[in-house]
Amino acid sequence: MFEITRKIEIDAGHRIREHGSKCRNLHGHRYQIHVSVRSDQLVAGGSESGMVADFSFLKELMISEIDGPCDHAFILDAEDTLYVELFGLREVAQAVRRDARAAPALSAQGSKMYVVPFAPTAENLAAHWHALLAPLVSAHGKGGIFLAAVRAFETPNCEATFPAPGRFSVIEEAPPRLAEPLALAAYRDHA
Ligand SMILES: Nc1nc2c(c(=O)[nH]1)N=C([C@H](O)[C@H](O)COP(=O)(O)OP(=O)(O)OP(=O)(O)O)CN2
């Protein structure tokens, strides 16, 4: 089994509305996001020969799905009614809650926002980015590669990983060349 990892960094604001302490305040982080992709064999022939996948493919994916919508944005919990109202995003937040789907938006003040249907903790963001990227990684590798993990560092000291390493072993036990939806089902079934 091979694994490759690409890292990007973004700056974003958030708050954890129900946090018992300082994270209730509006604040920002320079997030580091590490995306790891695995395959049991390397590409033979073509521009990705000898690779799990081209690092530049991972970079483009992370730029389009993570950096584009989230860099220099405020990541807003759609349930955070105080700030949903302040930013003039009631309708966007309603749609995000209804569809359980994150949405980029502009606040009434003209600021870049990313409205999410969850508390924007490192754990939830890692799982969210995993869900966005997993099918795109699989499609690129035609089922021969899969997204092993997303690690989200909020600070140099604070990191969340999804799925946690214990779940990797479940995926590793799956038959080789498993298509992503089945790989995802494999660790869901072992939850
Ligand atoms: N399990 C989680 N705990 C916390 C989260 C989280 O996403 N998941 N988030 C926060 C805060 O938003 C923040 O990221 C952590 O701040 P802090 O603990 O202050 O981290 P620092 O590295 O800045 O620590 P210092 O000791 O201040 O250097 C809180 N908890």
Side-chain angles (χ1 to χ4, degrees):
M1 180 69 69
F2 296 91
E3 178 177 292
I4 59 169
T5 300
R6 186 68 165 85
K7 177 181 93 177
I8 62 167
E9 298 187 1
I10 62 165
D11 299 288
H14 79 153
R15 85 168 188 131
I16 312 295
R17 97 191 132 90
E18 292 184 310
H19 192 249
S21 180
K22 60 186 178 182
C23 297
R24 262 201 322 267
N25 298 309
L26 304 187
H27 65 284
H29 294 290
R30 183 159 181 87
Y31 288 91
Q32 263 194 21
I33 302 124
H34 300 216
V35 165
S36 298
V37 171
R38 290 187 179 190
S39 175
D40 65 326
Q41 59 192 56
L42 303 180
V43 175
S47 68
E48 291 187 311
S49 189
M51 303 175 184
V52 170
D54 197 324
F55 286 125
S56 65
F57 157 71
L58 283 184
K59 179 182 174 184
E60 281 164 24
L61 207 59
M62 294 166 82
I63 295 292
S64 75
E65 302 300 316
I66 302 173
D67 180 279
C70 297
D71 185 47
H72 286 80
F74 188 85
I75 303 174
L76 176 67
D77 179 354
E79 300 279 356
D80 193 343
T81 45
L82 178 66
Y83 285 96
V84 164
E85 293 299 322
L86 185 77
F87 290 127
L89 291 170
R90 188 186 302 172
E91 286 174 15
V92 175
Q94 274 169 357
V96 166
R97 288 199 303 269
R98 184 191 61 228
D99 303 338
R101 192 185 175 90
L106 262 192
S107 75
Q109 297 80 12
S111 283
K112 182 177 173 181
M113 312 292 289
Y114 188 64
V115 186
V116 293
F118 50 75
T121 60
E123 291 92 329
N124 276 333
L125 288 168
H128 172 64
W129 287 324
H130 187 283
L132 288 182
L133 296 181
L136 302 172
V137 167
S138 278
H140 178 79
K142 300 187 176 68
I145 61 176
F146 66 90
L147 180 56
V150 174
R151 299 170 70 196
F153 288 80
E154 269 198 352
T155 78
N157 309 317
C158 301
E159 176 211 347
T161 301
F162 183 84
R167 301 289 175 84
F168 286 1
S169 56
V170 174
I171 293 173
E172 283 168 0
E173 285 161 15
R177 321 301 289 179
L178 196 60
E180 185 61 30
L182 290 178
L184 285 170
Y187 65 71
R188 259 203 309 274
D189 291 344
H190 286 75

